[in-house]
Amino acid sequence: MATVSLDRFRAVLTAEVRKTLSTRVWWLLFLPVLLLALAQSLLGSILQLLVPQATETSSILMLAGLASGLTMTAIVGAAFGTLLGTGDFRHRTVTLAYLTGSRGQVLAAKAVIAAVVAGLYALALVVVGPLLGGAALGGQQLPDLGRLAGLGAIGILVCALWGVLGVAVGTLVTNQAGAIALTVGYLLIGENLIAGALRAGDGSSLGDPSVFARLTPFLPGNAGDLAVWEPVVSSAGLGAQSRFVLEFLAGVSAPPPGWVGLLVLAAWTAAGIALAAVVGARRDIT
């Protein structure tokens, strides 16, 4: 029985892959990632505003540029996942999709594809950005391979999780325009407003944050940003200033370690997919 289910899932996954490759969405969304890679030296300049001793050619600026690009690529990955989740509803092919396998298998196949494509977006940024946008166009020094690979691996994982979370949102909100507006709008504006409200009235960031402000690292967008920025700030060797810089870059108060941010984002993703599976299984598609 398990072999039959696995064979069926492979068939569903193959059908979803073919459907995805037959559209232009995946490569059109690659274009903003390429622009982020080319602009990497400019993105890294944000750290110069916070750390005046960082020169224009410091290798830490390249890491900062890559981290900034990865946080934006996560939004692109989330948008792709949302488009993938809503695609069958948008084109009224959801009935045909559910004929290839169970609703859970279709959702799982979309989640796998979204994770792979969003992860590939991040991988492209990690490979192209430092070499072309940072070194060739920006004249910045390449950091050591270990730091670059470590940050890249975290960024790829964060983007992959956001791709899956996008599929969950697209399954819950089947209107494609509404789902995209919800996903991108939340990441660009909504979460900043929520974090701002939680931090309202909080004292100095170097003091003791309030209970509400301590919740900001556990918002999904902030959790991913925290995971990406934490190794960059640690590599900068800022000492006591590290906490202030990390709080500013990730938009959080009292940040936990970066690996906690990864776990928080993974938990949000798992909860989103579980909710999408329940709602999707009960939705009337006739």
Side-chain angles (χ1 to χ4, degrees):
M1 181 64 71
T3 303
V4 173
S5 298
L6 184 58
D7 290 341
R8 173 59 63 183
F9 176 70
R10 286 174 179 167
V12 174
L13 183 60
T14 301
E16 290 295 329
V17 168
R18 288 175 177 170
K19 192 188 306 178
T20 302
L21 294 179
S22 68
T23 68
R24 294 174 291 183
V25 171
W26 67 273
W27 65 264
L28 284 177
L29 286 177
F30 177 72
L31 296 180
V33 176
L34 181 60
L35 293 177
L36 288 172
L38 295 176
Q40 188 159 302
S41 62
L42 299 178
L43 296 174
S45 62
I46 185 173
L47 199 64
Q48 273 189 299
L49 301 176
L50 302 171
V51 187
Q53 61 267 34
T55 66
E56 294 182 354
T57 58
S58 297
S59 60
I60 190 64
L61 294 185
M62 186 176 289
L63 288 176
L66 180 58
S68 184
L70 286 170
T71 59
M72 297 181 194
T73 302
I75 300 176
V76 178
F80 173 79
T82 305
L83 288 171
L84 191 63
T86 57
D88 282 320
F89 296 99
R90 169 72 173 79
H91 300 290
R92 300 180 179 179
T93 56
V94 64
T95 304
L96 294 175
Y98 288 160
L99 288 176
T100 62
S102 68
R103 298 187 183 193
Q105 289 172 331
V106 172
L107 177 63
K110 290 181 183 295
V112 170
I113 294 172
V116 171
V117 173
L120 288 176
Y121 287 160
L123 177 62
L125 183 75
V126 171
V127 173
V128 176
L131 295 176
L132 186 57
L137 298 181
Q140 295 176 342
Q141 298 175 8
L142 283 169
D144 64 76
L145 186 59
R147 291 179 178 177
L148 200 59
L151 176 59
I154 293 172
I156 290 171
L157 183 55
V158 168
C159 290
L161 288 172
W162 268 112
V164 177
L165 201 48
V167 170
V169 174
T171 304
L172 293 169
V173 183
T174 56
N175 181 279
Q176 194 166 70
I180 285 292
L182 177 64
T183 303
V184 178
Y186 174 79
L187 285 172
L188 290 178
I189 302 173
E191 187 158 302
N192 290 326
L193 294 177
I194 295 173
L198 291 173
R199 301 174 77 181
D202 201 21
S204 169
S205 60
L206 296 178
D208 189 21
S210 67
V211 174
F212 295 110
R214 289 178 181 275
L215 296 177
T216 52
F218 299 97
L219 297 173
N222 283 351
D225 290 351
L226 174 63
V228 169
W229 278 112
E230 196 262 356
V232 178
V233 175
S234 298
S235 299
L238 302 176
Q241 194 183 357
S242 295
R243 176 182 160 183
F244 167 76
V245 174
L246 183 58
E247 286 182 338
F248 177 83
L249 293 172
V252 302
S253 295
W259 61 267
V260 175
L262 272 180
L263 290 179
V264 170
L265 180 57
W268 276 103
T269 304
I273 281 294
L275 183 60
V278 172
V279 173
R282 297 181 178 180
R283 176 174 288 123
D284 183 7
I285 60 171
T286 57

